[in-house]
Amino acid sequence: MVKHFLIWLMIIIFTPLALPALLSPKTMSLTIRKDYNAAVSILGEKDEINKQLITLYKNNLTVIAAFANEFRDRHDDSNKFRNSGDHIGEAIADIPGDWAESVKFQAYSMALRMVILSKWAIWLLIPVAMGLIAGVFERRLKSDTFSPPIPPIYNTSAHMLLASTFMIILWLICPIPIPLSIIPTFAVLISVFISLAITHYPNY
């Protein structure tokens, strides 16, 4: 369990660092636009979403944009190659600028998804709370009926719970093109895994 936790932790740490180099600004922009349109379509609060998005970005994430702009200004030599005819050199010189744009898009995507989760928070927490309560009552029922827990079910549930939780965190901090409608499904799955993990937690 600890090994899997460390693996997921490394994924959470290194994926946001590598993603701006792997995805182009155009790809990230398209993902953000899809998320925004889906949020407006589902929530129907366009003005409120815009207001919270701008406030969150300005108050917490502008430092990321400032760092990206500083990196671009120091290392972007694309203007030197623009009319040189050296297409390979121009493509290489464009890398710092593209990376900086991707980093800014990634920060904007995180702000947008944080706003979406804040809007959905109560509806996502309700099934998780229900799974917690169901697991406690099911465990008491097993104790009263002398039914032993099943460790393989606990192990599977615990690992799936870990994976589902880290997937939501990864979706939050990275512009991974996962449809917005999948997130409530993750919340329901997490509630099921919590219930099973509590029910079948081994008695040592």
Side-chain angles (χ1 to χ4, degrees), residues 29-46 49-50 53 112-113 115-117 119-120 171 176-184:
S29 176
L30 182 61
T31 300
I32 293 171
R33 189 177 297 112
K34 288 181 178 178
D35 282 348
Y36 179 80
N37 291 335
V40 171
S41 175
I42 295 172
L43 300 173
E45 301 177 359
K46 184 175 182 179
I49 291 174
N50 291 341
L53 179 58
L112 174 60
R113 290 179 172 182
V115 170
I116 293 171
L117 283 184
K119 295 288 186 181
W120 276 356
W171 171 85
I176 300 174
I178 297 178
L180 197 59
S181 57
I182 296 297
I183 302 306

Side-chain angles (χ1 to χ4, degrees), residues 104-144:
K104 289 188 286 186
F105 277 129
Q106 183 168 324
Y108 192 83
S109 172
M110 183 168 63
L112 174 60
R113 290 179 172 182
M114 288 176 68
V115 170
I116 293 171
L117 283 184
S118 70
K119 295 288 186 181
W120 276 356
I122 185 65
W123 303 109
L124 297 179
L125 291 175
I126 286 175
V128 173
M130 292 176 64
L132 181 64
I133 295 171
V136 171
F137 279 103
E138 183 67 22
R139 186 171 183 83
R140 287 183 178 179
L141 180 62
K142 276 185 167 293
S143 177
D144 292 340

Side-chain angles (χ1 to χ4, degrees), residues 122-140 157 161 186-200:
I122 185 65
W123 303 109
L124 297 179
L125 291 175
I126 286 175
V128 173
M130 292 176 64
L132 181 64
I133 295 171
V136 171
F137 279 103
E138 183 67 22
R139 186 171 183 83
R140 287 183 178 179
S157 301
L161 177 61
F186 271 110
V188 174
L189 289 176
I190 287 174
S191 70
V192 174
F193 297 140
I194 287 176
S195 176
L196 290 174
I198 293 174
T199 302
H200 295 281

Side-chain angles (χ1 to χ4, degrees), residues 7 16 22 59 62 69 90 98 111 120 124 131 148 169-170 180 200 202:
I7 291 173
L22 300 176
N59 292 343
T62 51
N69 289 334
E90 182 179 351
D98 290 342
W120 276 356
L124 297 179
I169 296 173
L170 195 64
L180 197 59
H200 295 281

Side-chain angles (χ1 to χ4, degrees), residues 64-169:
I64 298 176
F67 167 78
N69 289 334
E70 182 180 356
F71 178 87
R72 179 199 59 202
D73 295 339
R74 287 187 177 183
H75 302 285
D76 189 0
D77 297 328
S78 57
N79 290 332
K80 297 180 181 179
F81 294 88
R82 191 68 64 197
N83 300 314
S84 65
D86 184 0
H87 300 296
I88 296 178
E90 182 179 351
I92 294 174
D94 282 337
I95 292 176
D98 290 342
W99 181 86
E101 289 300 312
S102 295
V103 167
K104 289 188 286 186
F105 277 129
Q106 183 168 324
Y108 192 83
S109 172
M110 183 168 63
L112 174 60
R113 290 179 172 182
M114 288 176 68
V115 170
I116 293 171
L117 283 184
S118 70
K119 295 288 186 181
W120 276 356
I122 185 65
W123 303 109
L124 297 179
L125 291 175
I126 286 175
V128 173
M130 292 176 64
L132 181 64
I133 295 171
V136 171
F137 279 103
E138 183 67 22
R139 186 171 183 83
R140 287 183 178 179
L141 180 62
K142 276 185 167 293
S143 177
D144 292 340
T145 57
F146 302 100
S147 299
I150 305 175
I153 294 180
Y154 166 75
N155 290 332
T156 302
S157 301
H159 283 88
M160 293 302 295
L161 177 61
L162 183 69
S164 300
T165 302
F166 273 105
M167 278 298 296
I168 289 183
I169 296 173

